[in-house]
Amino acid sequence: MVVGPILDQRPDEEMSDPVMAALNSPPGALAESVLNRIDAREGTTASDVPDAIWNRMTRLLHPETAWASHAATILASRLGNLFKRNPDWVRDHFIRKFNWANNPNAAVLWQGYFWQLLLPNDLWPLIKPDFLAAVGHSDCLGNHAKSAASWFTVICVDRPAFITHTEATEVLQNMSPRYRGAVAQVLRRRLEQASSADQLWRDKIGPWLRTAWPRKQNLIESSPSLYLSLAAVTTRDEFPNAVETIREFAGASPDYSVLIEVVKAEHAQLVDLHPRELLELVTSRLEIRFFGAASKSYSVTTFP
């Protein structure tokens, strides 16, 4: 297999998405070909693959070759699989390229990884600091930023030992409001898909929000506030606790009508079960206070 001449070619123009650019480049195609040859081998260990193939993989990552980042991006999308097959090769030749301090193209590799994320438990300690840095600076991840925010949320909820609440708070504070909103969207979807939204809120999501979600007033934004509210209304018995939990860090949203329509269409039982808490939730999105001369009235009978 010829590696050098292909890697020395240059693109006529760059695509805006580095993953798509890699997929459509000769070095990216070459990387896929090498990966397919590894997948075609029986067995699951490094010894099941000839050394010549691992040497080609190393050559693909050579920093002085033109377009090397395209090949590396494709390999990054299979980082988890490569680590399961040959953890020593990943440690020796690949993992350092994900480091933000050492590699100016780290953002590109992280986009590749978030495209097809697989996270073996033993890989996590090696990538954790740079993973958290990537998620905290999602604006650098282009089309894959929402995927990064989603995977971060899944790990926080399903593998709580992987990310401490303090670490999660720091990441959330570094995120833009758009991607904190994406985190809240994932929480909402998880609750909607759960066999018991109440149990999921009580056991996992509620405790995580209470300890990890940032409470700085300057971080209260409309998008996270709306989706946190939509997550809260998916509960039933836990709804009062959900409203109390998000009270400190959910504010007004210009899209408050979405919340009203969702309650009317999907959660109308909350009107009868928890009218006081529902009124608080909706009026909080409207920035209306319950008491004082400046208060405006808002009737829960808005929900038929």
Side-chain angles (χ1 to χ4, degrees), residues 129-207:
D130 293 307
F131 178 101
L132 296 179
V135 177
H137 297 86
S138 297
D139 288 335
C140 298
L141 299 179
N143 295 336
H144 305 275
K146 289 190 71 173
S147 177
S150 297
W151 282 116
F152 164 76
T153 312
V154 169
I155 292 171
C156 286
V157 172
D158 293 337
R159 301 188 189 183
F162 277 25
I163 302 175
T164 68
H165 292 159
T166 300
E167 291 167 338
T169 301
E170 183 176 355
V171 171
L172 289 164
Q173 288 177 161
N174 289 333
M175 281 182 174
S176 68
R178 177 183 179 185
Y179 297 116
R180 279 197 302 277
V183 171
Q185 282 183 276
V186 175
L187 297 177
R188 178 198 179 190
R189 287 199 301 268
R190 290 296 301 274
L191 287 161
E192 289 177 334
Q193 296 166 2
S195 57
S196 171
D198 280 335
Q199 183 175 354
L200 180 58
W201 183 279
R202 182 171 56 250
D203 295 346
K204 293 185 176 182
I205 291 179

Side-chain angles (χ1 to χ4, degrees), residues 69-257:
S69 64
H70 285 329
T73 300
I74 298 302
L75 299 183
S77 72
R78 305 280 282 280
L79 177 64
N81 284 317
L82 289 170
F83 185 81
K84 291 171 67 176
R85 174 78 80 159
N86 191 344
D88 290 337
W89 181 86
V90 170
R91 290 190 185 96
D92 294 342
H93 299 288
F94 200 18
I95 203 69
R96 63 178 178 269
K97 294 185 178 297
F98 289 81
N99 183 268
W100 290 82
N102 297 333
N103 183 8
N105 292 319
V108 174
L109 297 191
W110 281 107
Q111 290 180 66
Y113 181 61
F114 286 122
W115 176 47
Q116 294 187 9
L117 186 144
L118 177 67
L119 183 58
N121 288 343
D122 292 344
L123 176 61
W124 178 243
L126 301 179
I127 67 170
K128 177 180 177 178
D130 293 307
F131 178 101
L132 296 179
V135 177
H137 297 86
S138 297
D139 288 335
C140 298
L141 299 179
N143 295 336
H144 305 275
K146 289 190 71 173
S147 177
S150 297
W151 282 116
F152 164 76
T153 312
V154 169
I155 292 171
C156 286
V157 172
D158 293 337
R159 301 188 189 183
F162 277 25
I163 302 175
T164 68
H165 292 159
T166 300
E167 291 167 338
T169 301
E170 183 176 355
V171 171
L172 289 164
Q173 288 177 161
N174 289 333
M175 281 182 174
S176 68
R178 177 183 179 185
Y179 297 116
R180 279 197 302 277
V183 171
Q185 282 183 276
V186 175
L187 297 177
R188 178 198 179 190
R189 287 199 301 268
R190 290 296 301 274
L191 287 161
E192 289 177 334
Q193 296 166 2
S195 57
S196 171
D198 280 335
Q199 183 175 354
L200 180 58
W201 183 279
R202 182 171 56 250
D203 295 346
K204 293 185 176 182
I205 291 179
W208 182 75
L209 284 173
R210 285 192 290 274
T211 54
W213 199 271
R215 283 158 169 73
K216 293 183 178 180
Q217 291 298 304
N218 64 325
L219 296 179
I220 296 177
E221 298 284 349
S222 61
S223 176
S225 296
L226 175 64
Y227 287 110
L228 287 171
S229 300
L230 291 170
V233 299
T234 62
T235 63
R236 182 182 171 96
D237 296 338
E238 286 294 312
F239 181 69
N241 292 329
V243 173
E244 181 180 2
T245 296
I246 69 172
R247 181 182 293 142
E248 291 184 57
F249 44 78
S253 171
D255 299 316
Y256 67 89
S257 60

Side-chain angles (χ1 to χ4, degrees), residues 288-302:
I288 299 174
R289 300 178 181 178
F290 287 109
F291 308 104
S295 299
K296 296 181 181 179
S297 62
Y298 185 89
S299 174
V300 79
T301 55
T302 299

